[in-house]
Amino acid sequence: MTAESPAQDPSRPLWRAAGAFRAATVAYAVATQISSDDQHTRPALSWTLIAVLVVWSAVAALALTSGRWRTQVVIGDHVVAIALMYASRLVSDEAFWSSHQPLPTTLWVTNAALSTAVLLGPWAGVASGLLLGLLSLDATNDLNRVLIDSTVPVLVTAGLTMGVASAAARRANAQLAEAIRIRAATDERERLAREVHDGVLQVLALMRRRGAGASGELGELAALAGEQEQALRVLLSEQSAPVTGDGGSVDLRRRLRSVVPPGVDLAAPAAAVVVPRRVAEGLEGAVRTALANVERHAGPQARAFVLVEELDDAVVVTVRDDGVGIEPGRLRAAETAGRMGVSKSIRGRVEELGGEAVLETAPGEGTEWELRVPLARR
């Protein structure tokens, strides 16, 4: 295992805290050894074992904090802790070791549970604490008191608490990394959109305007340029929409700007109109169809307008033109003939979102679509 940089290791602060706790437990273990030295039948061996505890603690703290060989060190923590607990029987008589905590002290043994929890999470911390607690009681012939002794609960709680903190730190770090990735992707897409808008879109729009109404190849080229301009606007809208992991929400204004061609006025609030992605996609498709109908049926001199309104409980998009209007019965006749543009592309899309599409029109008075979709506000 190689060392990780602080930015890659969200648990680094926890390892530092565990290292500080380890240093405190070493001091406590040494103090306990000094106070009980005269009770040991083999004091030289007891001091040798305490020296092993101190050296191992220093090595483990440095390795865990630096990020090197953490798995091996955590395993070593358990081996050393268990060995020292049972070695308590070698340095004093049964009357002493059966009535006192083991040689390394229960507090020092907690380090193994904490390290496991930081490395592997809460459930591993609980398992480590349970194992070490039971062996600690067994090493002092107190296993029969497991239900009334505090050793196991203390070690299990320590492992669980540190494990939960470690898992939370990793989740927070993952969310931060995702937010940074989304921001970088969005910035790059917006940069590309600006470059395309300043270059390709302007050329296509110029070709469409210059060739409008012309005959022959020039007219065909102008029509093709208009189609490609519209398709590119839609693509840019999709690519520049905020990136989310689960569909998320988008700015409806941005999506509709890709649909509205030059010459059509779009009025929208100054602030972002944030709606669920599926709502934006449905309204975008409905508006696209409505504007296509204006171009085909409203007359050559007709002007179109799109208005976006954000209400407390809904979003309303109005598409209005000042063209020739629609004669009574014409839409029903179109549906009967199998032309389902209005019923499917406009009403169908809005109704699928739980909304309503209202048409107001009359011959010579233009056409107005009001597309209203309710929103669930938090």
Side-chain angles (χ1 to χ4, degrees), residues 331-370:
L331 294 181
R332 185 176 298 276
E335 292 181 10
T336 302
R339 300 192 297 275
M340 309 297 289
V342 171
S343 63
K344 295 296 184 182
S345 295
I346 299 181
R347 285 200 177 100
R349 280 190 170 103
V350 176
E351 289 173 358
E352 283 182 358
L353 300 172
E356 181 183 19
V358 178
L359 172 64
E360 293 186 6
T361 184
E365 297 184 7
T367 302
E368 178 179 295
W369 281 101
E370 182 180 276

Side-chain angles (χ1 to χ4, degrees), residues 186 189-190 193 235-243 254-255:
T186 301
R189 289 175 177 181
E190 289 181 349
L235 178 61
L236 288 177
S237 172
E238 294 173 350
Q239 293 299 314
S240 62
V243 183
R254 176 179 293 176
R255 297 297 293 256

